[in-house]
Amino acid sequence: MEDILANPMALLVMVGIVSIACQYLAYMLKLPAILPLLLAGLVLGPVTGILDPDALFGDLLFPIVSLAVAIILFEGALTLKFSDLAGHGTMVRNLCTLGALVTFLVATPAAHYFLGMPMQMAALFGAIVTVTGPTVIVPMLRTVRPNTRISNILRWEGIVIDPIGALLAVLVYEYIVALHGALEHTLITFLKVVVIGFGVGSLMGYFVGSLLRNNWVPHYLRNTAVLTLMLGAYAASNLMTHESGLLTVTVMGIWMANMKNLDVDDILEFKETLSVLLISALFILLAARLEFFTLTQLGWGALLVLVAIMFVARPLSVFLSSPGSGLSWRELALLSWIAPRGIVAAAVSALFALKLDSIGLPKSELLVPMVFLVIIATVVLQSLTSKTVAKLLGVRAPYPNGYLLFGGGKFARLLAKDLMEKGVPVRIADTNWDAIREARMENIPTYYGNPISEHASLTMDLSTVGKVLVLSAYKQLNPLVTYHFEHILGDGSVLGLSNGAQEGRASHKVSEEYAKKLELFSDSASYSRLASLVAKGATIKTTRLTEAFTIEDYRETYGNRATQLYAVDPQGKIHINTISHEFELKPDWQIVSLIAPEEGGEKLVEKE
């Protein structure tokens, strides 16, 4: 056993296996992945001594962490679109500017006076803890289910503030490093870092963006080329001016995100595959480097710092950011309570701690354990209590009665508009831009992209979604979407159209378990049949049943021309029609069906 643990290859594979196991455990328990990753790192590191990152990587540890943090910051910057910041209201903008400044100004003196950190070190700590993080906020929102306004604000704050907070931390660090040189060179060194960082970042952002926009890079090389050029810009910037690389990649990502006619969604999707293993392994390595004696050195002052951050800085930043937002005091109170820190804070703190060790700044060994303590306290405490707080404040969203339609074909758009007319929240998701464009022209809320991607999980609001209807022609993607949202929303929450391939060759048949979920509308209502009906002029019609016009009269009137889609009871509740469930349709119920034209209409027998 000792021989295995002394083998670097075995240790590297172990870190990879543990990281994926932690991600899977978080997925099954619906928790932020940062919690099991942190626990695994502590067990492998200070508890058992199995993993010693410094001994395993030696001099390569600093470059590995540096490159990983550069990738994390670049990806975060790619999500920072100025149009999104403005489009989600003054509250998000204020939280990410004024709110971040308030947190910085409160956390800095708290760390200085309560922990005895030098003011420069305390300022770096204050900058790092300004960030929240969508990777820890989104799982929390699914459990808490606040109203749409709160949900959108918290989600977009987490996305936008990551690169802003990291940029602030980089600038503070560069100022610290400059102070340790000759006094006469302090200002020029700091200005040099800023000029090089913004200059090289802007130039590389424009250059790489132009390569992609003009299709000068083959499609299969796009992701690899962007990653390689970004790392090249990071290294080149550091060579020109020491430690300017992080600022460079942040500016580069922001530039590309806001370039006209440049779509970076595929680059962000590639990042998912890379980041799951990279960030997970990085977090385990960082947690494994913690030492218990440094945690005990924090003392009671650490609790006072936590109180200052959670009960002073956050509420103050929220209320100072609120003028013009139109939010009630109850909504502001919940926003004041939810602000968990995530992977960016952990990675940036660990990187700067490694760097500060080399210049011998006093109390630098307290930076990482204090940041990790803030992460643990905010994630655990707020995850356990936010649902109760939201209930007490009365700001939880009502039971979700909305629908996510995967597939933006003409039938899906007709169905979406009909549901919207009845006051039901609807969103269409599709990877086909033409379908999304048509839906937007009809004022239907949309998500353009893969709805099971990480980008979708961070940006697509599911607070009103209770069911997912799979209406697409993508037979390979449909099962993935089905199982993904069933895990999130629960069994029976996803319904799909029947698969015509079930009646074909054995090699085309789907699994028996998945086939049970393909019972939307009727056993013959496949994608192709519905599309054919709509193409021939079929329309969606709502009919109210009365004592004089019963369900029997309805069937006699429309016969095989009617494909029943759903029914609406007198209380306004939607009942989707399925193969296995029949509703007792009474007077005052409404039947919504796809009605084929009388002459030449495709016959589609509906199972009542």
Side-chain angles (χ1 to χ4, degrees):
M1 184 68 178
E2 292 182 0
D3 293 337
I4 296 177
L5 295 180
N7 187 317
M9 182 182 295
L11 289 174
L12 289 173
V13 172
M14 179 191 67
V15 170
I17 292 174
V18 172
S19 353
I20 297 303
C22 290
Q23 288 282 354
Y24 182 74
L25 180 63
Y27 171 78
M28 295 302 297
L29 298 179
K30 300 182 181 179
L31 292 172
I34 202 168
L35 291 178
L37 289 170
L38 173 62
L39 182 61
L42 291 174
V43 170
L44 292 176
V47 173
T48 63
I50 292 174
L51 180 63
D52 183 355
D54 295 274
L56 177 61
F57 294 101
D59 294 337
L60 290 177
L61 179 62
F62 175 76
I64 289 173
V65 174
S66 298
L67 293 176
V69 172
I71 293 172
I72 293 171
L73 294 187
F74 177 68
E75 181 274 331
L78 281 175
T79 65
L80 184 51
K81 296 183 179 181
F82 298 136
S83 59
D84 290 336
L85 180 59
H88 283 75
T90 57
M91 190 67 187
V92 175
R93 183 184 66 240
N94 292 344
L95 280 174
C96 295
T97 51
L98 177 61
L101 180 62
V102 169
T103 302
F104 173 71
L105 293 177
V106 171
T108 296
H112 176 63
Y113 290 109
F114 298 145
L115 293 175
M117 285 184 176
M119 187 55 76
Q120 306 101 302
M121 177 65 66
L124 181 59
F125 170 78
I128 291 171
V129 296
T130 59
V131 301
T132 52
T135 55
V136 288
I137 284 179
V138 170
M140 194 179 298
L141 292 179
R142 289 172 184 160
T143 302
V144 177
R145 214 177 69 242
N147 65 39
T148 301
R149 290 202 295 181
I150 297 175
S151 180
N152 283 337
I153 288 171
L154 288 172
R155 181 181 289 105
W156 281 101
E157 179 199 8
I159 293 172
V160 173
I161 205 171
D162 261 0
I164 291 177
L167 179 58
L168 177 61
V170 170
L171 293 177
V172 171
Y173 170 76
E174 302 304 344
Y175 182 71
I176 293 174
V177 173
L179 284 177
H180 280 72
L183 184 60
E184 61 271 18
H185 294 301
T186 298
L187 182 59
I188 192 170
T189 302
F190 179 69
L191 290 177
K192 195 175 177 183
V193 167
V194 173
V195 169
I196 293 296
F198 277 94
V200 175
S202 300
L203 287 174
M204 285 299 296
Y206 177 76
F207 172 69
V208 176
S210 297
L211 289 179
L212 300 179
R213 187 168 58 185
N214 294 302
N215 295 316
W216 290 339
V217 178
H219 184 76
Y220 77 97
L221 286 179
R222 281 170 62 95
N223 296 325
T224 308
V226 171
L227 177 63
T228 306
L229 290 172
M230 180 274 294
L231 294 177
Y234 172 76
S237 184
N238 278 341
L239 289 175
M240 285 186 280
T241 301
H242 195 54
E243 305 305 345
S244 61
L246 293 180
L247 180 56
T248 295
V249 298
T250 303
V251 173
M252 179 180 172
I254 294 173
W255 187 285
M256 292 177 62
N258 293 278
M259 230 174 142
K260 290 184 178 180
N261 302 318
L262 176 61
D263 183 12
V264 296
D265 286 344
D266 56 340
I267 300 171
L268 286 170
E269 192 167 343
F270 164 71
K271 167 262 169 192
E272 296 174 27
T273 304
L274 180 65
S275 66
V276 168
L277 182 58
L278 178 64
I279 295 178
S280 302
L282 177 64
F283 202 80
I284 289 177
L285 293 174
L286 299 182
R289 294 187 75 250
L290 290 175
E291 298 178 354
F292 285 125
F293 80 90
T294 58
L295 294 173
T296 59
Q297 280 184 315
L298 295 175
W300 291 104
L303 295 180
L304 295 176
V305 173
L306 282 174
V307 169
I309 292 173
M310 296 178 66
F311 298 98
V312 179
R314 179 61 178 180
L316 190 59
S317 66
V318 167
F319 281 92
L320 288 178
S321 301
S322 64
S325 66
L327 298 172
S328 68
W329 73 266
R330 296 175 183 273
E331 292 172 318
L332 294 176
L334 186 61
L335 286 173
S336 300
W337 181 236
I338 301 179
R341 273 61 179 183
I343 186 64
V344 170
V348 172
S349 66
L351 176 61
F352 288 150
L354 287 170
K355 294 182 177 182
L356 292 172
D357 284 343
S358 62
I359 63 175
L361 190 67
K363 301 285 188 178
S364 62
E365 71 279 1
L366 299 183
L367 180 63
V368 173
M370 190 61 224
V371 170
F372 272 66
L373 184 61
V374 172
I375 293 171
I376 296 170
T378 54
V379 172
V380 173
L381 185 59
Q382 293 170 12
S383 293
L384 293 176
T385 61
S386 292
K387 183 177 179 179
T388 302
V389 172
K391 281 183 178 179
L392 293 175
L393 292 171
V395 292
R396 292 195 81 199
Y399 186 81
N401 67 333
Y403 289 83
L404 174 65
L405 309 184
F406 175 52
K410 189 171 182 180
F411 169 76
R413 299 197 299 271
L414 287 175
L415 179 61
K417 287 193 295 183
D418 189 81
L419 288 167
M420 290 170 63
E421 289 172 0
K422 294 177 173 59
V424 179
V426 176
R427 182 178 300 272
I428 284 180
D430 204 317
T431 57
N432 185 298
W433 170 245
D434 291 332
I436 292 296
R437 183 183 60 213
E438 292 290 337
R440 290 178 179 176
M441 290 176 64
E442 297 174 25
N443 296 318
I444 301 171
T446 62
Y447 173 77
Y448 174 47
N450 186 343
I452 64 175
S453 66
E454 183 179 356
H455 180 266
S457 69
L458 299 180
T459 60
M460 188 166 57
D461 183 16
L462 296 177
S463 60
T464 63
V465 174
K467 282 189 178 294
V468 177
L469 305 183
V470 181
L471 305 173
S472 87
Y474 312 132
K475 293 183 179 179
Q476 288 74 31
L477 189 54
N478 287 346
L480 300 179
V481 171
T482 299
Y483 288 115
H484 174 82
F485 284 107
E486 268 212 338
H487 174 76
I488 294 175
L489 302 176
D491 291 339
S493 59
V494 185
L495 295 170
L497 297 171
S498 66
N499 189 347
Q502 280 293 96
E503 301 174 1
R505 296 184 301 176
S507 60
H508 289 181
K509 291 187 178 181
V510 299
S511 68
E512 184 177 348
E513 180 186 0
Y514 176 58
K516 293 177 181 178
K517 308 177 191 301
L518 306 180
E519 56 173 23
L520 187 56
F521 306 141
S522 77
D523 54 3
S524 55
S526 65
Y527 175 86
S528 58
R529 295 294 297 277
L530 293 175
S532 175
L533 283 171
V534 172
K536 294 176 179 178
T539 58
I540 293 180
K541 182 177 180 179
T542 301
T543 304
R544 182 181 296 276
L545 299 179
T546 65
E547 295 288 350
F549 189 80
T550 64
I551 183 61
E552 288 75 17
D553 298 323
Y554 179 87
R555 291 169 178 164
E556 184 178 347
T557 301
Y558 293 106
N560 293 337
R561 294 193 298 119
T563 303
Q564 187 175 321
L565 305 178
Y566 64 92
V568 186
D569 64 23
Q571 289 73 41
K573 184 178 179 181
I574 302 294
H575 302 268
I576 297 292
N577 198 65
T578 63
I579 298 171
S580 61
H581 189 73
E582 296 182 2
F583 301 105
E584 186 180 354
L585 300 174
K586 300 178 180 179
D588 289 332
W589 279 61
Q590 299 176 64
I591 302 179
V592 181
S593 300
L594 183 68
I595 308 295
E598 285 194 52
E599 296 181 3
E602 182 77 22
K603 304 298 183 182
L604 182 60
V605 179
E606 177 62 25
K607 180 175 180 178
E608 297 289 356

